[in-house]
Amino acid sequence: MSDLIQTPPIERYEIPFGCCDELVDAEGTPHPHAASLMATLQRLGPQALKAAGDRRDTIFMQQGITFEVAGTDGERRDRAWPLDLVPRVLTAAEWTTIKRGLAQRIRALNAFVDDVYHAHEIVRAGIVPWSLIVSRPSFARPVHGVRAPGGVYCHVSGCDLVRGGDGRWRVLEDNVRTPSGISYVLENRVAMTRLMPELFAGHRIRAVDHYPSLLLDALRAVAPAAESHPTVVVWTPGPLNAAYFEHAFLARQMGVELVEPGDLVVRDAVCYMRTTAGLERVQTIYRRLDDDFIDPLEFRPDSLLGVPGLVRAYRAGTVAIANAIGTGVADDKAIYHYVPEMIRFYLQEEPILDNVPTYLLSDERSRKHVLQRLSELVVKPTSESGGKGVFIGPQASAAELELQARLIEDQPERFIAQELVHLSTAPTEIGDGRLAPRHVDLRPFAVFGDEIRIVPGGLTRVALREGSMIVNSSQGGGSKDTWVLDDGGPGDLAPGTLPSHRPPRLPDVRYGGWHHQAQQQQQQSWQQIQLSQRQPAQRPTGLRQQQTRQRPGGGPGAS
């Protein structure tokens, strides 16, 4: 019906040169699938949109739904969670392509991780150099030869997608270690239904609130024990971690325990959780900390966040860890270059979603090409995340270009270069109720248990500053609710085995941002705690109260 709605163009809406817009064309006229939404926004008018934004900020600040940003004076200040009130809209046909491409990519990445730690077939075929693989900081030697329960390594994936000026979707990077952001997908939808319910009228939008059920199904599916209801826990570094809100949120929504350092212990190569009734066997751990910190006997010996002997239990096959230890080798930015070839090698298929054109600077010919075009390209460190160390050539000064060229020549293997992608834009409220184009990306989330299931939509991040392509919240970015229109065709996801979850309430808990987790900060905090304080009897929060354990969906604080 939306294609019959005649909506006038947005006034003074200028799409940046070389970009396409998600909701309107070059003249500002809404695309057919967005016509109904844009008509409603125009009917409500700028004042209504601004008033809803004011309510959002007031409610979020009162409820502590904030995150810290650094001011110009270096001070850290709270800021209301930056949810833009104009949703992003994807058609069912468009989502089908994205979903198929992501599932294909995740299968290939999962096969690559298994191959890297076992048969090395892709190495023997001469496709990916073994010297490159073993030189990745995320290559986990302690688990070489260890097969994950069920053969699943990438249990939770969040690939970052961008749409260029030609309208095509491309994968910007893969996240298969501990991807974060799904809690914001769920909370954005709840907030939008309360703040802007008028926008939903007349739309059939695919639900996202069943993600906790899908995740719990996947975690149970890979449990090594044959028990009908294996014990699943969410393992967090602690409340100082930037993504702690999400850790607590997911544990509560799944109805499982949130465990911290000191809550887990290994006895005779079996992992247990300390409770007031004694030790309880744990079959699956959804861990939200990096490999380096999980076991001081195998990785960093100074880690106070890990569980001594956990890798031994993992080797023995008595516990599943999601995501599996060592998956980081698959989302290293140097390895990203080879993902299309992985798809062809492992699946005998052509990639559905393309990579952004990428150059490995360890290759002399590519390095010379990049140095000649450095002012046109983007350079990234291969083993960093969260936007750290990214160099954008077109925005750099002559001195910065010279410095980056020296860094590349000194250590070329530390960097990759990519063609600059002009991110698509979407109408965004800019503070006074008016709409202006702002650049966006998309991070869909997938869970892999018995099969791959992808939640419709994902986390749309938006660069709120005019002209900026930096979508990270820590650098002034925000987020949008992402709609996938339902055309009445087959659903994206098979129904879970658990009862449907009601939409989660907006909790009175601080957000931390979706950027890469800061285990180092939490590690330093734990170093200040005396060993005696880490004993369960002296640290009540470290004991799991069995009498509070409830059925999935009914955990403490769930609504």
Side-chain angles (χ1 to χ4, degrees), residues 301-335:
D302 63 337
S303 173
L304 299 178
L305 305 180
V307 178
L310 184 60
V311 172
R312 181 163 54 92
Y314 181 67
R315 287 195 196 106
T318 62
V319 64
I321 299 176
N323 284 357
I325 302 171
T327 51
V329 72
D331 65 17
D332 185 278
K333 291 179 176 60
I335 298 296

PDB file of all heavy atoms in Angstrom, residues 301-335:
ATOM      1  N   PRO A 301      49.400 -15.083  32.190  1.00  0.00           N
ATOM      2  CA  PRO A 301      49.533 -15.617  33.553  1.00  0.00           C
ATOM      3  C   PRO A 301      49.122 -14.626  34.634  1.00  0.00           C
ATOM      4  O   PRO A 301      48.878 -15.023  35.767  1.00  0.00           O
ATOM      5  CB  PRO A 301      51.023 -15.970  33.661  1.00  0.00           C
ATOM      6  CG  PRO A 301      51.693 -15.100  32.651  1.00  0.00           C
ATOM      7  CD  PRO A 301      50.721 -14.952  31.526  1.00  0.00           C
ATOM      8  N   ASP A 302      49.038 -13.342  34.277  1.00  0.00           N
ATOM      9  CA  ASP A 302      48.657 -12.344  35.277  1.00  0.00           C
ATOM     10  C   ASP A 302      47.153 -12.070  35.297  1.00  0.00           C
ATOM     11  O   ASP A 302      46.691 -11.183  36.018  1.00  0.00           O
ATOM     12  CB  ASP A 302      49.411 -11.031  35.028  1.00  0.00           C
ATOM     13  CG  ASP A 302      49.050 -10.399  33.688  1.00  0.00           C
ATOM     14  OD1 ASP A 302      48.588 -11.136  32.788  1.00  0.00           O
ATOM     15  OD2 ASP A 302      49.234  -9.172  33.539  1.00  0.00           O
ATOM     16  N   SER A 303      46.381 -12.827  34.508  1.00  0.00           N
ATOM     17  CA  SER A 303      44.947 -12.578  34.447  1.00  0.00           C
ATOM     18  C   SER A 303      44.258 -12.988  35.740  1.00  0.00           C
ATOM     19  O   SER A 303      44.378 -14.130  36.192  1.00  0.00           O
ATOM     20  CB  SER A 303      44.318 -13.346  33.277  1.00  0.00           C
ATOM     21  OG  SER A 303      42.906 -13.227  33.314  1.00  0.00           O
ATOM     22  N   LEU A 304      43.519 -12.051  36.314  1.00  0.00           N
ATOM     23  CA  LEU A 304      42.672 -12.349  37.468  1.00  0.00           C
ATOM     24  C   LEU A 304      41.212 -12.495  37.071  1.00  0.00           C
ATOM     25  O   LEU A 304      40.349 -12.671  37.920  1.00  0.00           O
ATOM     26  CB  LEU A 304      42.807 -11.231  38.514  1.00  0.00           C
ATOM     27  CG  LEU A 304      44.208 -11.027  39.093  1.00  0.00           C
ATOM     28  CD1 LEU A 304      44.209  -9.878  40.072  1.00  0.00           C
ATOM     29  CD2 LEU A 304      44.715 -12.298  39.749  1.00  0.00           C
ATOM     30  N   LEU A 305      40.953 -12.414  35.776  1.00  0.00           N
ATOM     31  CA  LEU A 305      39.585 -12.540  35.272  1.00  0.00           C
ATOM     32  C   LEU A 305      39.274 -13.961  34.838  1.00  0.00           C
ATOM     33  O   LEU A 305      38.107 -14.299  34.615  1.00  0.00           O
ATOM     34  CB  LEU A 305      39.366 -11.604  34.080  1.00  0.00           C
ATOM     35  CG  LEU A 305      39.665 -10.121  34.306  1.00  0.00           C
ATOM     36  CD1 LEU A 305      39.407  -9.341  33.033  1.00  0.00           C
ATOM     37  CD2 LEU A 305      38.826  -9.583  35.450  1.00  0.00           C
ATOM     38  N   GLY A 306      40.310 -14.797  34.687  1.00  0.00           N
ATOM     39  CA  GLY A 306      40.131 -16.113  34.115  1.00  0.00           C
ATOM     40  C   GLY A 306      39.872 -17.200  35.136  1.00  0.00           C
ATOM     41  O   GLY A 306      39.832 -16.979  36.347  1.00  0.00           O
ATOM     42  N   VAL A 307      39.691 -18.414  34.619  1.00  0.00           N
ATOM     43  CA  VAL A 307      39.439 -19.604  35.430  1.00  0.00           C
ATOM     44  C   VAL A 307      40.580 -20.584  35.187  1.00  0.00           C
ATOM     45  O   VAL A 307      40.675 -21.152  34.091  1.00  0.00           O
ATOM     46  CB  VAL A 307      38.089 -20.255  35.058  1.00  0.00           C
ATOM     47  CG1 VAL A 307      37.868 -21.517  35.882  1.00  0.00           C
ATOM     48  CG2 VAL A 307      36.949 -19.267  35.258  1.00  0.00           C
ATOM     49  N   PRO A 308      41.453 -20.797  36.146  1.00  0.00           N
ATOM     50  CA  PRO A 308      42.543 -21.758  35.947  1.00  0.00           C
ATOM     51  C   PRO A 308      42.008 -23.151  35.607  1.00  0.00           C
ATOM     52  O   PRO A 308      41.118 -23.660  36.285  1.00  0.00           O
ATOM     53  CB  PRO A 308      43.260 -21.751  37.299  1.00  0.00           C
ATOM     54  CG  PRO A 308      42.925 -20.426  37.909  1.00  0.00           C
ATOM     55  CD  PRO A 308      41.531 -20.131  37.463  1.00  0.00           C
ATOM     56  N   GLY A 309      42.544 -23.723  34.550  1.00  0.00           N
ATOM     57  CA  GLY A 309      42.139 -25.062  34.141  1.00  0.00           C
ATOM     58  C   GLY A 309      40.978 -25.104  33.170  1.00  0.00           C
ATOM     59  O   GLY A 309      40.585 -26.192  32.718  1.00  0.00           O
ATOM     60  N   LEU A 310      40.412 -23.946  32.795  1.00  0.00           N
ATOM     61  CA  LEU A 310      39.260 -23.966  31.891  1.00  0.00           C
ATOM     62  C   LEU A 310      39.618 -24.520  30.524  1.00  0.00           C
ATOM     63  O   LEU A 310      38.832 -25.271  29.921  1.00  0.00           O
ATOM     64  CB  LEU A 310      38.682 -22.559  31.757  1.00  0.00           C
ATOM     65  CG  LEU A 310      37.417 -22.439  30.906  1.00  0.00           C
ATOM     66  CD1 LEU A 310      36.292 -23.278  31.475  1.00  0.00           C
ATOM     67  CD2 LEU A 310      36.989 -20.979  30.767  1.00  0.00           C
ATOM     68  N   VAL A 311      40.794 -24.175  30.009  1.00  0.00           N
ATOM     69  CA  VAL A 311      41.192 -24.708  28.704  1.00  0.00           C
ATOM     70  C   VAL A 311      41.362 -26.224  28.779  1.00  0.00           C
ATOM     71  O   VAL A 311      41.042 -26.945  27.827  1.00  0.00           O
ATOM     72  CB  VAL A 311      42.480 -24.018  28.215  1.00  0.00           C
ATOM     73  CG1 VAL A 311      43.012 -24.694  26.960  1.00  0.00           C
ATOM     74  CG2 VAL A 311      42.225 -22.536  27.952  1.00  0.00           C
ATOM     75  N   ARG A 312      41.831 -26.715  29.910  1.00  0.00           N
ATOM     76  CA  ARG A 312      41.948 -28.172  30.072  1.00  0.00           C
ATOM     77  C   ARG A 312      40.566 -28.837  30.000  1.00  0.00           C
ATOM     78  O   ARG A 312      40.401 -29.887  29.359  1.00  0.00           O
ATOM     79  CB  ARG A 312      42.623 -28.481  31.410  1.00  0.00           C
ATOM     80  CG  ARG A 312      42.823 -29.970  31.700  1.00  0.00           C
ATOM     81  CD  ARG A 312      43.859 -30.149  32.813  1.00  0.00           C
ATOM     82  NE  ARG A 312      43.501 -29.386  34.010  1.00  0.00           N
ATOM     83  CZ  ARG A 312      42.783 -29.896  35.015  1.00  0.00           C
ATOM     84  NH1 ARG A 312      42.353 -31.130  34.961  1.00  0.00           N
ATOM     85  NH2 ARG A 312      42.513 -29.162  36.078  1.00  0.00           N
ATOM     86  N   ALA A 313      39.567 -28.227  30.633  1.00  0.00           N
ATOM     87  CA  ALA A 313      38.204 -28.758  30.553  1.00  0.00           C
ATOM     88  C   ALA A 313      37.677 -28.669  29.126  1.00  0.00           C
ATOM     89  O   ALA A 313      36.985 -29.580  28.646  1.00  0.00           O
ATOM     90  CB  ALA A 313      37.292 -28.002  31.516  1.00  0.00           C
ATOM     91  N   TYR A 314      38.007 -27.590  28.444  1.00  0.00           N
ATOM     92  CA  TYR A 314      37.577 -27.415  27.053  1.00  0.00           C
ATOM     93  C   TYR A 314      38.210 -28.478  26.165  1.00  0.00           C
ATOM     94  O   TYR A 314      37.547 -29.069  25.298  1.00  0.00           O
ATOM     95  CB  TYR A 314      37.967 -26.015  26.599  1.00  0.00           C
ATOM     96  CG  TYR A 314      37.565 -25.656  25.196  1.00  0.00           C
ATOM     97  CD1 TYR A 314      36.233 -25.514  24.841  1.00  0.00           C
ATOM     98  CD2 TYR A 314      38.539 -25.433  24.216  1.00  0.00           C
ATOM     99  CE1 TYR A 314      35.869 -25.165  23.551  1.00  0.00           C
ATOM    100  CE2 TYR A 314      38.190 -25.081  22.924  1.00  0.00           C
ATOM    101  CZ  TYR A 314      36.851 -24.944  22.594  1.00  0.00           C
ATOM    102  OH  TYR A 314      36.503 -24.605  21.311  1.00  0.00           O
ATOM    103  N   ARG A 315      39.500 -28.756  26.384  1.00  0.00           N
ATOM    104  CA  ARG A 315      40.159 -29.812  25.620  1.00  0.00           C
ATOM    105  C   ARG A 315      39.514 -31.176  25.877  1.00  0.00           C
ATOM    106  O   ARG A 315      39.401 -32.006  24.972  1.00  0.00           O
ATOM    107  CB  ARG A 315      41.644 -29.894  26.004  1.00  0.00           C
ATOM    108  CG  ARG A 315      42.517 -28.782  25.494  1.00  0.00           C
ATOM    109  CD  ARG A 315      43.976 -29.186  25.618  1.00  0.00           C
ATOM    110  NE  ARG A 315      44.863 -28.034  25.500  1.00  0.00           N
ATOM    111  CZ  ARG A 315      45.499 -27.477  26.503  1.00  0.00           C
ATOM    112  NH1 ARG A 315      45.354 -27.956  27.738  1.00  0.00           N
ATOM    113  NH2 ARG A 315      46.285 -26.443  26.310  1.00  0.00           N
ATOM    114  N   ALA A 316      39.103 -31.394  27.119  1.00  0.00           N
ATOM    115  CA  ALA A 316      38.491 -32.674  27.476  1.00  0.00           C
ATOM    116  C   ALA A 316      37.086 -32.817  26.927  1.00  0.00           C
ATOM    117  O   ALA A 316      36.503 -33.903  26.994  1.00  0.00           O
ATOM    118  CB  ALA A 316      38.477 -32.829  29.001  1.00  0.00           C
ATOM    119  N   GLY A 317      36.523 -31.743  26.402  1.00  0.00           N
ATOM    120  CA  GLY A 317      35.189 -31.803  25.823  1.00  0.00           C
ATOM    121  C   GLY A 317      34.072 -31.791  26.840  1.00  0.00           C
ATOM    122  O   GLY A 317      32.942 -32.168  26.519  1.00  0.00           O
ATOM    123  N   THR A 318      34.347 -31.345  28.060  1.00  0.00           N
ATOM    124  CA  THR A 318      33.313 -31.356  29.102  1.00  0.00           C
ATOM    125  C   THR A 318      32.564 -30.035  29.192  1.00  0.00           C
ATOM    126  O   THR A 318      31.575 -29.931  29.920  1.00  0.00           O
ATOM    127  CB  THR A 318      33.938 -31.654  30.480  1.00  0.00           C
ATOM    128  OG1 THR A 318      34.878 -30.612  30.810  1.00  0.00           O
ATOM    129  CG2 THR A 318      34.635 -33.003  30.461  1.00  0.00           C
ATOM    130  N   VAL A 319      33.012 -29.010  28.465  1.00  0.00           N
ATOM    131  CA  VAL A 319      32.333 -27.726  28.494  1.00  0.00           C
ATOM    132  C   VAL A 319      32.451 -27.075  27.115  1.00  0.00           C
ATOM    133  O   VAL A 319      33.472 -27.200  26.437  1.00  0.00           O
ATOM    134  CB  VAL A 319      32.937 -26.800  29.575  1.00  0.00           C
ATOM    135  CG1 VAL A 319      34.388 -26.446  29.259  1.00  0.00           C
ATOM    136  CG2 VAL A 319      32.104 -25.536  29.756  1.00  0.00           C
ATOM    137  N   ALA A 320      31.360 -26.439  26.695  1.00  0.00           N
ATOM    138  CA  ALA A 320      31.369 -25.657  25.458  1.00  0.00           C
ATOM    139  C   ALA A 320      31.569 -24.194  25.815  1.00  0.00           C
ATOM    140  O   ALA A 320      31.011 -23.711  26.801  1.00  0.00           O
ATOM    141  CB  ALA A 320      30.065 -25.839  24.691  1.00  0.00           C
ATOM    142  N   ILE A 321      32.364 -23.500  25.023  1.00  0.00           N
ATOM    143  CA  ILE A 321      32.616 -22.083  25.232  1.00  0.00           C
ATOM    144  C   ILE A 321      32.206 -21.342  23.966  1.00  0.00           C
ATOM    145  O   ILE A 321      32.633 -21.676  22.860  1.00  0.00           O
ATOM    146  CB  ILE A 321      34.091 -21.810  25.547  1.00  0.00           C
ATOM    147  CG1 ILE A 321      34.502 -22.530  26.831  1.00  0.00           C
ATOM    148  CG2 ILE A 321      34.347 -20.313  25.683  1.00  0.00           C
ATOM    149  CD1 ILE A 321      35.973 -22.400  27.165  1.00  0.00           C
ATOM    150  N   ALA A 322      31.338 -20.345  24.129  1.00  0.00           N
ATOM    151  CA  ALA A 322      30.847 -19.577  22.993  1.00  0.00           C
ATOM    152  C   ALA A 322      31.207 -18.099  23.195  1.00  0.00           C
ATOM    153  O   ALA A 322      30.941 -17.569  24.270  1.00  0.00           O
ATOM    154  CB  ALA A 322      29.328 -19.742  22.878  1.00  0.00           C
ATOM    155  N   ASN A 323      31.819 -17.502  22.196  1.00  0.00           N
ATOM    156  CA  ASN A 323      32.342 -18.138  21.013  1.00  0.00           C
ATOM    157  C   ASN A 323      33.580 -18.944  21.378  1.00  0.00           C
ATOM    158  O   ASN A 323      34.229 -18.713  22.377  1.00  0.00           O
ATOM    159  CB  ASN A 323      32.678 -17.108  19.945  1.00  0.00           C
ATOM    160  CG  ASN A 323      31.429 -16.565  19.245  1.00  0.00           C
ATOM    161  OD1 ASN A 323      30.312 -16.991  19.508  1.00  0.00           O
ATOM    162  ND2 ASN A 323      31.632 -15.619  18.356  1.00  0.00           N
ATOM    163  N   ALA A 324      33.884 -19.917  20.521  1.00  0.00           N
ATOM    164  CA  ALA A 324      34.967 -20.833  20.829  1.00  0.00           C
ATOM    165  C   ALA A 324      36.298 -20.097  20.948  1.00  0.00           C
ATOM    166  O   ALA A 324      36.525 -19.057  20.325  1.00  0.00           O
ATOM    167  CB  ALA A 324      35.061 -21.912  19.749  1.00  0.00           C
ATOM    168  N   ILE A 325      37.186 -20.652  21.752  1.00  0.00           N
ATOM    169  CA  ILE A 325      38.523 -20.079  21.895  1.00  0.00           C
ATOM    170  C   ILE A 325      39.233 -20.130  20.536  1.00  0.00           C
ATOM    171  O   ILE A 325      39.213 -21.141  19.848  1.00  0.00           O
ATOM    172  CB  ILE A 325      39.336 -20.865  22.937  1.00  0.00           C
ATOM    173  CG1 ILE A 325      38.615 -20.863  24.286  1.00  0.00           C
ATOM    174  CG2 ILE A 325      40.733 -20.284  23.081  1.00  0.00           C
ATOM    175  CD1 ILE A 325      39.241 -21.785  25.313  1.00  0.00           C
ATOM    176  N   GLY A 326      39.837 -19.024  20.158  1.00  0.00           N
ATOM    177  CA  GLY A 326      40.596 -18.985  18.911  1.00  0.00           C
ATOM    178  C   GLY A 326      39.849 -18.471  17.715  1.00  0.00           C
ATOM    179  O   GLY A 326      40.419 -18.377  16.618  1.00  0.00           O
ATOM    180  N   THR A 327      38.559 -18.096  17.858  1.00  0.00           N
ATOM    181  CA  THR A 327      37.810 -17.615  16.702  1.00  0.00           C
ATOM    182  C   THR A 327      38.330 -16.282  16.185  1.00  0.00           C
ATOM    183  O   THR A 327      38.082 -15.924  15.025  1.00  0.00           O
ATOM    184  CB  THR A 327      36.315 -17.463  17.044  1.00  0.00           C
ATOM    185  OG1 THR A 327      36.193 -16.683  18.242  1.00  0.00           O
ATOM    186  CG2 THR A 327      35.656 -18.803  17.240  1.00  0.00           C
ATOM    187  N   GLY A 328      39.057 -15.545  17.029  1.00  0.00           N
ATOM    188  CA  GLY A 328      39.546 -14.242  16.603  1.00  0.00           C
ATOM    189  C   GLY A 328      40.436 -14.284  15.377  1.00  0.00           C
ATOM    190  O   GLY A 328      40.563 -13.279  14.668  1.00  0.00           O
ATOM    191  N   VAL A 329      41.026 -15.424  15.096  1.00  0.00           N
ATOM    192  CA  VAL A 329      41.868 -15.527  13.906  1.00  0.00           C
ATOM    193  C   VAL A 329      41.052 -15.312  12.641  1.00  0.00           C
ATOM    194  O   VAL A 329      41.582 -14.879  11.609  1.00  0.00           O
ATOM    195  CB  VAL A 329      42.587 -16.892  13.867  1.00  0.00           C
ATOM    196  CG1 VAL A 329      41.616 -18.025  13.552  1.00  0.00           C
ATOM    197  CG2 VAL A 329      43.745 -16.877  12.868  1.00  0.00           C
ATOM    198  N   ALA A 330      39.741 -15.581  12.707  1.00  0.00           N
ATOM    199  CA  ALA A 330      38.898 -15.467  11.515  1.00  0.00           C
ATOM    200  C   ALA A 330      38.459 -14.044  11.231  1.00  0.00           C
ATOM    201  O   ALA A 330      38.075 -13.740  10.095  1.00  0.00           O
ATOM    202  CB  ALA A 330      37.665 -16.368  11.657  1.00  0.00           C
ATOM    203  N   ASP A 331      38.453 -13.159  12.239  1.00  0.00           N
ATOM    204  CA  ASP A 331      38.026 -11.790  11.959  1.00  0.00           C
ATOM    205  C   ASP A 331      39.174 -10.786  12.006  1.00  0.00           C
ATOM    206  O   ASP A 331      38.949  -9.583  12.033  1.00  0.00           O
ATOM    207  CB  ASP A 331      36.873 -11.350  12.863  1.00  0.00           C
ATOM    208  CG  ASP A 331      37.228 -11.266  14.338  1.00  0.00           C
ATOM    209  OD1 ASP A 331      38.427 -11.228  14.672  1.00  0.00           O
ATOM    210  OD2 ASP A 331      36.300 -11.240  15.164  1.00  0.00           O
ATOM    211  N   ASP A 332      40.394 -11.294  11.998  1.00  0.00           N
ATOM    212  CA  ASP A 332      41.554 -10.418  11.829  1.00  0.00           C
ATOM    213  C   ASP A 332      41.454  -9.729  10.470  1.00  0.00           C
ATOM    214  O   ASP A 332      41.050 -10.340   9.476  1.00  0.00           O
ATOM    215  CB  ASP A 332      42.837 -11.242  11.914  1.00  0.00           C
ATOM    216  CG  ASP A 332      44.086 -10.380  11.871  1.00  0.00           C
ATOM    217  OD1 ASP A 332      44.498  -9.998  10.765  1.00  0.00           O
ATOM    218  OD2 ASP A 332      44.636 -10.104  12.944  1.00  0.00           O
ATOM    219  N   LYS A 333      41.801  -8.471  10.419  1.00  0.00           N
ATOM    220  CA  LYS A 333      41.582  -7.701   9.187  1.00  0.00           C
ATOM    221  C   LYS A 333      42.463  -8.162   8.029  1.00  0.00           C
ATOM    222  O   LYS A 333      42.120  -7.939   6.862  1.00  0.00           O
ATOM    223  CB  LYS A 333      41.773  -6.212   9.476  1.00  0.00           C
ATOM    224  CG  LYS A 333      40.667  -5.648  10.364  1.00  0.00           C
ATOM    225  CD  LYS A 333      40.878  -4.178  10.660  1.00  0.00           C
ATOM    226  CE  LYS A 333      39.710  -3.617  11.472  1.00  0.00           C
ATOM    227  NZ  LYS A 333      39.537  -4.286  12.766  1.00  0.00           N
ATOM    228  N   ALA A 334      43.584  -8.788   8.325  1.00  0.00           N
ATOM    229  CA  ALA A 334      44.391  -9.347   7.243  1.00  0.00           C
ATOM    230  C   ALA A 334      43.736 -10.611   6.686  1.00  0.00           C
ATOM    231  O   ALA A 334      43.788 -10.878   5.482  1.00  0.00           O
ATOM    232  CB  ALA A 334      45.811  -9.641   7.726  1.00  0.00           C
ATOM    233  N   ILE A 335      43.110 -11.394   7.555  1.00  0.00           N
ATOM    234  CA  ILE A 335      42.408 -12.596   7.114  1.00  0.00           C
ATOM    235  C   ILE A 335      41.145 -12.243   6.333  1.00  0.00           C
ATOM    236  O   ILE A 335      40.745 -12.958   5.404  1.00  0.00           O
ATOM    237  CB  ILE A 335      42.053 -13.477   8.338  1.00  0.00           C
ATOM    238  CG1 ILE A 335      43.344 -13.929   9.045  1.00  0.00           C
ATOM    239  CG2 ILE A 335      41.218 -14.678   7.932  1.00  0.00           C
ATOM    240  CD1 ILE A 335      44.239 -14.819   8.216  1.00  0.00           C
TER     241      ILE A 335
END
